[in-house]
Amino acid sequence: MRPTVLVVQPDPRVGLDRFEAWLRQSGVDLDVVRPYDDEVVPEVGEHDGIIVLGGYMNALDDEHYPWLTNIRALIRDAAATDVPTLGICLGGQLVADALGGQVTVGDGPSEIGAVRLDLTDTDDDPLFCESGPSILVAEHHYDRIARLPDGAQLLASSDRYENQAFRVGRAVWGVQFHPEVSPGRFERWVADSRTAAPDDADRLTAAFADLVANDALIESDSAVLARRFADVVRTHRHARASASVGAGAER
């Protein structure tokens, strides 16, 4: 049986996009939960991994999105049980907040388009160990992971934002960027941003053009992360199955 990853999608405009094909091709099935559509965020249960996607809301907006509390509880449960977890953009901010870090809303300049990240201390990291000293990623965020949880390992930084990727414990990751997004989906996000900030239209148009020009490299770097996360999920499932068989034999 193939391992199953629980995907929490907080916003209809921010789906799995390219990650869906990459994960399925890597031997992982997906169980998508949409809390914006009144679907209940479950406990970890029998899921072999968790992905928390991005969204237009901020990570502290529990007043309007009370189910953010349930997502944080899910993240804490996963961290306590070493279930592989990946939080993307808003999801990464929720990982930081749930595990004792700090997120600030609208703090600093927005980061939109193709951004190069410098990687640090990634040689023994299961997700980033195959990446080079830097990767090119797609960014679209206004908020900041201001402080990592205690004991977290910083994995990547950009010129504007230090905490671009981190790991807590053995298998919980948060990333500020969007490894899943395709140019088509990104173009819709930029259109929304132009509507919200028409004075910024020229910068947004240029950022999108730069992302399209660099998409081959962005896609290549991002696909590696998807495959590596699938590898971690499969390893976790195998270890859990082996432990279950061993426990049965002892009885």
Side-chain angles (χ1 to χ4, degrees):
M1 182 180 297
R2 287 158 58 102
T4 300
V5 170
L6 171 65
V7 180
V8 181
Q9 181 180 346
D11 192 303
R13 296 161 290 189
V14 188
L16 269 173
D17 209 350
R18 293 198 285 208
F19 250 46
E20 179 171 2
W22 292 337
L23 291 170
R24 292 191 187 279
Q25 290 165 5
S26 298
V28 171
D29 290 331
L30 305 168
D31 177 17
V32 182
V33 172
R34 301 171 178 85
Y36 65 84
D37 204 22
D38 295 328
E39 295 181 358
V40 176
V41 177
E43 297 179 351
V44 173
E46 295 301 311
H47 290 100
D48 304 295
I50 297 167
I51 293 175
V52 181
L53 295 171
Y56 279 51
M57 68 287 295
N58 70 67
L60 308 179
D61 200 3
D62 294 50
E63 179 181 358
H64 296 100
Y65 307 96
W67 37 259
L68 290 173
T69 299
N70 304 102
I71 297 177
R72 290 193 203 90
L74 174 69
I75 291 168
R76 285 191 289 268
D77 189 16
T81 54
D82 288 331
V83 174
T85 299
L86 174 62
I88 294 174
C89 199
L90 169 67
Q93 294 164 6
L94 287 168
V95 168
D97 187 56
L99 301 180
Q102 181 184 13
V103 175
T104 52
V105 176
D107 181 14
S110 61
E111 196 172 40
I112 298 175
V115 174
R116 183 160 296 281
L117 306 184
D118 295 320
L119 304 187
T120 56
D121 297 327
T122 58
D123 289 346
D124 62 348
D125 183 76
L127 209 60
F128 287 88
C129 61
E130 293 184 10
S131 302
S134 68
I135 58 174
L136 196 65
V137 300
E139 299 269 12
H140 194 294
H141 71 99
Y142 298 88
D143 302 336
R144 174 193 294 270
I145 300 171
R147 180 171 54 80
L148 297 182
D150 290 345
Q153 181 173 345
L154 178 65
L155 300 170
S157 302
S158 70
D159 290 341
R160 290 185 175 182
Y161 290 89
E162 179 183 9
N163 299 319
Q164 287 281 354
F166 63 96
R167 189 184 77 245
V168 181
R170 295 175 58 188
V172 177
W173 287 268
V175 300
Q176 183 60 80
F177 56 95
H178 282 278
E180 86 291 357
V181 71
S182 64
R185 180 68 60 91
F186 195 89
E187 184 176 22
R188 294 193 286 275
W189 295 352
V190 167
D192 290 342
S193 296
R194 287 196 197 100
T195 300
D199 293 342
D200 209 20
D202 290 345
R203 183 178 74 90
L204 292 167
T205 298
F208 175 65
D210 185 47
L211 181 133
V212 171
N214 287 283
D215 183 60
L217 183 54
I218 293 172
E219 181 179 18
S220 176
D221 287 339
S222 297
V224 170
L225 297 181
R227 178 173 59 80
R228 290 298 303 158
F229 185 70
D231 289 346
V232 173
V233 169
R234 289 199 308 272
T235 298
H236 172 74
R237 178 181 176 84
H238 177 73
R240 189 169 66 173
S242 298
S244 178
V245 170
E250 289 175 4
R251 289 196 297 270

